[in-house]
């Protein structure tokens, strides 16, 4: 069985909830990613408190007339972050992404540490054409 660990992209970087959005955008640019997990700085084991996307920065900050040099990642994070275990099967990964209509999904190990991220591109390399079509229909509906 193919697991989340098999299809994830490892080497995920964090930003702190106290980082400003200009810092977050710079890191996203350097890493060539559209989303990055946000860690709660108040926890010693870097618990994830959310994910910031490039769209969040544009819509939630720039388009809203807010200052990216003042607004922090933690202020923009909303809701409970979704994730899967490294041992989750592809069906569970798809179910989580489809049910919450998300395009990127963090992967957590048995110690609750972030070890990777699954994106649409990762799925495209491991799914059948039918699975991809169903995923796209459910996430973008």
């Amino acid at each position: 069985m193919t697991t989340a660990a098999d299809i994830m992209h490892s080497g995920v970087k964090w930003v702190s909830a106290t980082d400003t959005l200009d810092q977050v955008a710079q890191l996203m640019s350097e890493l060539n990613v559209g989303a990055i997990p946000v860690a709660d700085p108040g926890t010693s084991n870097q618990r994830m408190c959310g994910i910031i996307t490039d769209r969040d920065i544009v819509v939630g900050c720039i388009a809203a007339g807010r200052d990216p040099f003042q607004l922090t990642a933690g202020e923009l994070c909303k809701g409970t972050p979704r994730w899967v275990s490294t041992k989750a099967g592809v069906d569970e990964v798809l179910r989580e992404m489809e049910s919450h209509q998300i395009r990127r999904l963090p992967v957590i190990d048995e110690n609750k540490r972030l070890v990777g991220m699954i994106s649409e591109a990762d799925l495209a390399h491991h799914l059948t054409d039918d699975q991809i079509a169903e995923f796209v229909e459910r996430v973008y509906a």
Side-chain angles (χ1 to χ4, degrees):
M1 172 181 85
T2 303
T3 66
D6 297 325
I7 62 176
M8 72 181 191
H9 183 89
S10 60
V12 177
K13 302 289 185 195
W14 291 88
V15 295
S16 170
T18 59
D19 288 346
T20 58
L21 295 184
D22 69 300
Q23 295 170 313
V24 174
Q26 283 290 346
L27 184 59
M28 287 175 151
S29 177
E30 290 168 18
L31 299 173
N32 193 30
V33 297
I36 196 160
V38 179
D40 181 354
T43 59
S44 60
N45 59 354
Q46 289 191 317
R47 300 286 287 199
M48 184 173 56
C49 64
I51 295 178
I52 293 286
T53 67
D54 46 8
R55 186 175 193 284
D56 292 333
I57 294 171
V58 171
V59 174
C61 179
I62 306 300
R66 299 178 80 183
D67 184 354
F69 293 91
Q70 299 296 318
L71 191 62
T72 66
E75 291 173 292
L76 202 59
C77 283
K78 294 182 179 80
T80 303
R82 308 307 307 174
W83 54 270
V84 292
S85 162
T86 54
K87 297 175 183 173
V90 172
D91 289 343
E92 185 178 343
V93 169
L94 290 172
R95 199 169 34 253
E96 189 69 22
M97 293 175 86
E98 290 169 358
S99 67
H100 297 284
Q101 293 187 313
I102 55 178
R103 297 178 202 129
R104 300 164 186 100
L105 186 63
V107 181
I108 307 293
D109 70 10
E110 60 276 353
N111 296 317
K112 303 276 190 214
R113 290 179 311 126
L114 179 71
V115 293
M117 185 82 77
I118 296 174
S119 69
E120 295 167 306
D122 298 319
L123 292 176
H125 293 293
H126 293 89
L127 300 179
T128 66
D129 290 344
D130 289 341
Q131 287 174 309
I132 293 169
E134 185 176 330
F135 171 78
V136 168
E137 182 179 324
R138 290 185 178 171
V139 170
Y140 291 95

